[in-house]
Amino acid sequence: MRIIRVKNYDDMSRQGANIVASLITLKPNCVLGLATGSSPEGLYRELVERYQRGDINFCQVKSVNLDEYVGLSADSEQSYRYFMHHHFFKYINMKPENIHIPCGKNEDAEQECRRYDELLQSLGGIDLQLLGLGMNGHIGFNEPDEIFTTGTHKVKLTESTILANRRFFAKEEDVPRFAYTMGIRDIVHARRVVMLVSGETKADIVRQAFFGPVTPHVPASILQFHQNFTLVADEAALSEI
Ligand code: GLP
């Protein structure tokens, strides 16, 4: 595990973007595992700027997103597909057929999860998985559990996650209760994993996840065993270690 300690959110975004941009330069047809949430927003902005300057080109890049709320359609402003489009995809030259996100509108969970697992396999694995960190240690939507999950599955969101994500919805009842997420196995199989964490509110969970025992009760802790895991965190997020 490598920790890149940065001053603040903007530095975190720049350092994270450096890593992603260098991968795209070295492997133009790479598979990027993408995440949503406030943590990677700045990184996406940075990548867009680099694309606009002509420094990187996405024409051969493929992407797979970690997760999606069940029940929200692609044009719902709270869906992760909408988030990705508005923060990233609409500004760059990725081919629409190379963009993959679980379909929240597919009510047949078994079929949707199988489709996504087969897709991940057909892409030949993820070169770089980008992650944020949930307040309870979740990655993607892999919530604290008794076991580490394997492939894509439907998950019931915990109260703490519903509360944390409440800010994106008009009222708490609107926050979906279920999501589709890639499993922990899919995430740890990525050849490189980069996590972005910023702010004091994450300091306690950063300590638990990376300086405590490896346990499915804190799903991110499994990354301690990953061969190529980089945590890009700011001083506030590292203030308890
Ligand atoms: C959501 C997402 C996660 C994300 C987490 C943290 O629940 N499913 O992928 O990492 O929230 O979000 P934020 O970066 O906004 O703190």
Side-chain angles (χ1 to χ4, degrees):
M1 175 169 99
R2 202 146 44 97
I3 300 182
I4 301 182
R5 187 188 174 92
V6 293
K7 258 202 144 21
N8 51 35
Y9 182 89
D10 289 344
D11 286 348
M12 174 192 79
S13 306
R14 268 198 305 276
Q15 292 294 344
N18 285 348
I19 299 173
V20 179
S22 56
L23 172 68
I24 295 171
T25 305
L26 292 169
K27 189 174 180 189
N29 62 346
C30 61
V31 178
L32 296 180
L34 299 179
T36 51
S38 313
S39 309
E41 264 185 52
L43 177 148
Y44 292 140
R45 254 195 317 271
E46 285 283 330
L47 289 179
V48 167
E49 278 175 32
R50 287 161 205 221
Y51 165 71
Q52 287 167 343
R53 284 202 304 263
D55 293 343
I56 44 174
N57 189 331
F58 292 88
C59 69
Q60 294 181 64
V61 172
K62 299 181 189 100
S63 73
V64 276
N65 260 78
L66 277 169
D67 46 14
E68 179 60 285
Y69 289 115
V70 171
L72 296 189
S73 61
D75 54 0
S76 150
E77 288 186 20
Q78 285 80 26
S79 75
Y80 284 169
R81 183 173 287 274
Y82 187 96
F83 174 101
M84 290 306 301
H85 183 72
H86 283 268
H87 288 95
F88 195 38
F89 296 143
K90 75 172 178 187
Y91 300 108
I92 59 170
N93 66 333
M94 269 185 75
K95 296 198 176 105
E97 65 269 28
N98 286 340
I99 293 173
H100 305 285
I101 303 178
C103 174
K105 263 305 188 198
N106 188 352
E107 283 168 19
D108 185 339
E110 212 184 299
Q111 185 196 66
E112 182 56 19
C113 296
R114 199 170 345 109
R115 180 189 75 82
Y116 215 65
D117 277 345
E118 285 170 5
L119 169 80
L120 290 173
Q121 244 193 343
S122 73
L123 290 173
I126 296 168
D127 289 302
L128 186 154
Q129 179 63 56
L130 193 61
L131 293 175
L133 178 64
M135 288 299 290
N136 58 5
H138 75 225
I139 45 179
F141 265 133
N142 290 278
E143 297 281 38
D145 202 342
E146 296 303 315
I147 50 154
F148 287 112
T149 57
T150 53
T152 309
H153 57 287
K154 182 177 175 179
V155 65
K156 184 171 175 14
L157 303 180
T158 62
E159 276 311 308
S160 115
T161 298
I162 291 167
L163 274 181
N165 292 355
R166 155 82 182 79
R167 65 189 194 278
F168 300 109
F169 294 82
K171 40 189 191 319
E172 197 182 319
E173 304 90 88
D174 294 345
V175 187
R177 269 34 188 179
F178 292 91
Y180 292 132
T181 183
M182 271 164 47
I184 295 284
R185 181 199 59 201
D186 302 323
I187 295 172
V188 297
H189 277 179
R191 291 184 261 284
R192 176 189 277 271
V193 178
V194 175
M195 178 181 277
L196 305 179
V197 194
S198 163
E200 214 183 319
T201 53
K202 297 275 175 80
D204 180 52
I205 196 65
V206 165
R207 181 182 50 75
Q208 287 184 53
F210 304 116
F211 296 87
V214 172
T215 161
H217 295 289
V218 184
S221 65
I222 192 75
L223 296 168
Q224 292 183 39
F225 290 156
H226 195 280
Q227 284 196 352
N228 199 345
F229 169 54
T230 305
L231 173 67
V232 186
D234 66 10
E235 286 170 2
L238 295 172
S239 58
E240 285 195 26
I241 60 157

